[in-house]
PDB file of all heavy atoms in Angstrom:
ATOM      1  N   VAL F  37      -9.991  23.439   2.043  1.00 96.00           N
ATOM      2  CA  VAL F  37     -10.620  22.178   1.696  1.00 96.00           C
ATOM      3  C   VAL F  37      -9.634  21.461   0.779  1.00 96.00           C
ATOM      4  O   VAL F  37      -9.212  22.002  -0.246  1.00 96.00           O
ATOM      5  CB  VAL F  37     -11.976  22.385   0.982  1.00 96.00           C
ATOM      6  CG1 VAL F  37     -12.574  21.046   0.565  1.00 96.00           C
ATOM      7  CG2 VAL F  37     -12.945  23.145   1.889  1.00 96.00           C
ATOM      8  N   GLY F  43      -4.506  15.143  -2.104  1.00 87.00           N
ATOM      9  CA  GLY F  43      -3.890  16.225  -1.342  1.00 87.00           C
ATOM     10  C   GLY F  43      -3.954  17.594  -1.983  1.00 87.00           C
ATOM     11  O   GLY F  43      -3.409  18.557  -1.446  1.00 87.00           O
ATOM     12  N   THR F  57      -3.599  37.929  16.696  1.00 64.00           N
ATOM     13  CA  THR F  57      -3.283  37.712  18.101  1.00 64.00           C
ATOM     14  C   THR F  57      -1.934  37.026  18.178  1.00 64.00           C
ATOM     15  O   THR F  57      -1.490  36.394  17.218  1.00 64.00           O
ATOM     16  CB  THR F  57      -4.351  36.838  18.785  1.00 64.00           C
ATOM     17  OG1 THR F  57      -4.365  35.566  18.146  1.00 64.00           O
ATOM     18  CG2 THR F  57      -5.718  37.470  18.718  1.00 64.00           C
ATOM     19  N   LEU F  63     -10.546  28.446  15.986  1.00 90.00           N
ATOM     20  CA  LEU F  63     -11.939  28.716  15.650  1.00 90.00           C
ATOM     21  C   LEU F  63     -12.594  27.450  15.120  1.00 90.00           C
ATOM     22  O   LEU F  63     -11.981  26.680  14.382  1.00 90.00           O
ATOM     23  CB  LEU F  63     -12.030  29.837  14.610  1.00 90.00           C
ATOM     24  CG  LEU F  63     -11.458  31.177  15.070  1.00 90.00           C
ATOM     25  CD1 LEU F  63     -11.350  32.148  13.901  1.00 90.00           C
ATOM     26  CD2 LEU F  63     -12.312  31.774  16.179  1.00 90.00           C
ATOM     27  N   ASN F 123     -21.111  31.163  25.216  1.00 93.00           N
ATOM     28  CA  ASN F 123     -22.549  30.941  25.131  1.00 93.00           C
ATOM     29  C   ASN F 123     -22.804  30.146  23.853  1.00 93.00           C
ATOM     30  O   ASN F 123     -21.915  29.967  23.044  1.00 93.00           O
ATOM     31  CB  ASN F 123     -23.340  32.260  25.153  1.00 93.00           C
ATOM     32  CG  ASN F 123     -23.138  33.116  23.922  1.00 93.00           C
ATOM     33  OD1 ASN F 123     -22.381  32.786  23.028  1.00 93.00           O
ATOM     34  ND2 ASN F 123     -23.814  34.234  23.860  1.00 93.00           N
ATOM     35  N   LEU F 131     -38.467  28.486   7.594  1.00 69.00           N
ATOM     36  CA  LEU F 131     -38.966  27.922   6.336  1.00 69.00           C
ATOM     37  C   LEU F 131     -39.881  28.877   5.583  1.00 69.00           C
ATOM     38  O   LEU F 131     -39.972  28.807   4.362  1.00 69.00           O
ATOM     39  CB  LEU F 131     -39.671  26.603   6.619  1.00 69.00           C
ATOM     40  CG  LEU F 131     -38.769  25.513   7.208  1.00 69.00           C
ATOM     41  CD1 LEU F 131     -39.568  24.231   7.446  1.00 69.00           C
ATOM     42  CD2 LEU F 131     -37.590  25.230   6.305  1.00 69.00           C
TER      43      LEU F 131
END
Side-chain angles (χ1 to χ4, degrees):
V37 177
T57 62
L63 299 169
N123 68 358
L131 297 180

